[in-house]
């Protein structure tokens, strides 16, 4: 009698958490066993602002290293909901072009900030209208949008994420699961979100945090239920990307930074979690 088949997930990571230089991003990720990268910025420039020549140059670097792109980590939807719909539609078209050039089918997006003192429920219809417009672009472009549950946006709790996904109802809009962000808004990720969102969960972002102070910590060292989530995903047959987004040296509006050393710590912490769960990464 043989044991269960080995489950393999594809390891990736946010290259710009390592360094601005994509050559260093690639080198560190490969040293940690990853052959994919999630591209948020290169040479200090956000992915939606890279020019055609820069995208071609980045593609050459990735191809020379045998590196694939797991996702375009765009800032789409990380703006106030009062901006016109066309503002983010136009930026998404640029992100979709980057995805095409770099050979990725996924684009990470968000579901809009709202002003201080504004009732979150009052912006629901505006958010759904914008998310549907973005999904339309994605369907036309042949890409899949991954909604990240960032804190302080409309979709920062499991119920509101589910509302977005079910209301837009597009095959081009799925869930990127970020446990640290759930913790930072007071949600127990696994107990309060996993069952609701699992049918739509397409991509795992590896980040953990503590309830006590909201501080981001390496995977498995916080309250993000990483081990239980990995075990459940394995049992459910998940075989997608797990992308390291450590945020260990600081975070800001459009992302975070770790540096090579802290990024390595984050990778080793996640390796410990997946090993315990019986998942291999490639």
């Amino acid at each position: 009698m043989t044991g269960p088949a080995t489950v393999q997930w594809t390891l990736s990571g946010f290259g710009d958490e390592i360094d601005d230089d994509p050559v260093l991003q690639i080198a560190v990720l490969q040293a940690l066993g990853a052959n994919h990268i999630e591209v948020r910025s290169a040479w200090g420039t956000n992915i939606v602002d890279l020019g055609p020549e820069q995208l071609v140059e980045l593609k050459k670097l990735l191809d020379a290293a045998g590196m694939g792109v797991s996702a375009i980590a765009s800032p789409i939807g990380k703006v106030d909901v009062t901006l016109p719909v066309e503002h983010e539609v136009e930026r998404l078209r640029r992100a979709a072009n980057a995805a095409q050039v770099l050979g990725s089918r996924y684009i990470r997006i968000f579901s809009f900030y709202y002003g201080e003192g504004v009732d979150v429920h009052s912006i629901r219809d505006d958010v759904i209208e914008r998310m549907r417009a973005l999904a339309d672009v994605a369907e036309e472009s042949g890409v899949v949008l991954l909604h990240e549950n960032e804190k302080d946006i409309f979709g920062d709790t499991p119920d509101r994420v589910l509302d977005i996904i079910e209301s837009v109802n597009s095959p081009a809009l799925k869930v990127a699961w970020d446990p640290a962000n759930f913790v930072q808004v007071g949600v127990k990720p696994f107990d309060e979100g996993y069952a609701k969102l699992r049918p739509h969960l397409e991509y795992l972002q590896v980040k953990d945090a503590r309830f006590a102070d909201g501080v981001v910590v390496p995977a498995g060292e916080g309250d993000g239920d990483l081990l239980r989530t990995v075990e459940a995903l394995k049992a459910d047959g998940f075989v997608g990307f797990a992308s390291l987004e450590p945020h260990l040296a600081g975070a800001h509006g459009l992302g975070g930074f770790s540096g090579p050393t802290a990024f390595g710590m984050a990778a080793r912490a996640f390796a410990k979690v997946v090993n315990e769960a019986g998942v291999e990464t490639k």
Side-chain angles (χ1 to χ4, degrees):
M1 205 173 149
T2 58
T6 302
V7 174
Q8 278 198 329
W9 295 357
T10 305
L11 186 65
S12 185
F14 283 65
D16 64 353
E17 291 226 4
I18 296 165
D19 195 88
D20 281 348
D21 183 350
V23 173
L24 281 173
Q25 297 177 14
I26 293 165
V28 171
L29 281 165
Q30 290 192 320
L32 295 170
N35 290 306
H36 283 78
I37 185 170
E38 184 157 351
V39 182
R40 183 169 53 201
S41 69
W43 303 290
T45 300
N46 190 275
I47 185 66
V48 296
D49 297 319
L50 288 176
E53 299 83 4
Q54 289 175 303
L55 286 172
V56 169
E57 176 62 22
L58 182 56
K59 176 63 170 166
K60 284 180 183 171
L61 290 173
L62 293 167
D63 285 351
M67 199 79 168
V69 175
S70 61
I72 301 300
S74 88
I76 307 302
K78 238 183 185 184
V79 298
D80 196 276
V81 71
T82 56
L83 283 171
V85 177
E86 294 74 24
H87 183 277
E88 294 302 79
V89 164
E90 193 273 327
R91 291 211 301 168
L92 181 57
R93 291 194 195 283
R94 299 211 300 270
N97 176 65
Q100 186 174 23
V101 173
L102 299 179
S104 176
R105 68 187 293 259
Y106 291 125
I107 299 175
R108 184 274 307 263
I109 65 163
F110 304 92
S111 54
F112 299 91
Y113 290 125
Y114 47 100
E116 198 173 334
V118 175
D119 175 31
V120 64
H121 301 291
S122 73
I123 68 162
R124 179 193 176 273
D125 291 350
D126 289 334
V127 168
I128 300 301
E129 177 192 8
R130 283 155 178 74
M131 297 300 285
R132 186 166 283 125
L134 295 175
D136 287 345
V137 172
E139 288 180 30
E140 290 166 20
S141 305
V143 295
V144 175
L145 305 179
L146 302 169
H147 174 273
E148 180 181 335
N149 51 293
E150 174 76 11
K151 55 189 176 292
D152 301 326
I153 61 171
F154 178 80
D156 60 356
T157 65
D159 284 341
R160 288 200 289 269
V161 173
L162 188 61
D163 183 21
I164 291 167
I165 300 294
E166 290 185 339
S167 298
V168 174
N169 191 27
S170 167
L173 180 60
K174 300 292 184 180
V175 167
W177 178 271
D178 188 318
N181 290 348
F182 278 139
V183 168
Q184 289 177 327
V185 296
V187 168
K188 294 178 180 176
F190 189 81
D191 291 334
E192 297 175 25
Y194 184 83
K196 287 174 188 168
L197 297 179
R198 175 63 187 101
H200 312 287
L201 197 163
E202 188 94 0
Y203 196 94
L204 180 63
Q205 288 185 307
V206 182
K207 196 156 100 241
D208 205 347
R210 297 188 298 240
F211 277 127
D213 52 15
V215 169
V216 174
V217 294
E221 297 179 17
D223 298 302
D225 289 325
L226 264 296
L227 179 59
R228 290 169 73 200
T229 303
V230 169
E231 288 173 336
L233 284 168
K234 178 193 175 188
D236 287 347
F238 177 81
V239 288
F241 288 107
S243 183
L244 300 164
E245 188 190 10
H247 277 23
L248 293 180
H252 51 81
L254 290 180
F257 187 73
S258 298
T261 303
F263 203 95
M265 285 170 46
R268 288 187 287 277
F270 184 57
K272 189 175 168 188
V273 171
V274 292
N275 287 342
E276 189 171 343
V279 172
E280 289 183 0
T281 56
K282 58 180 179 175

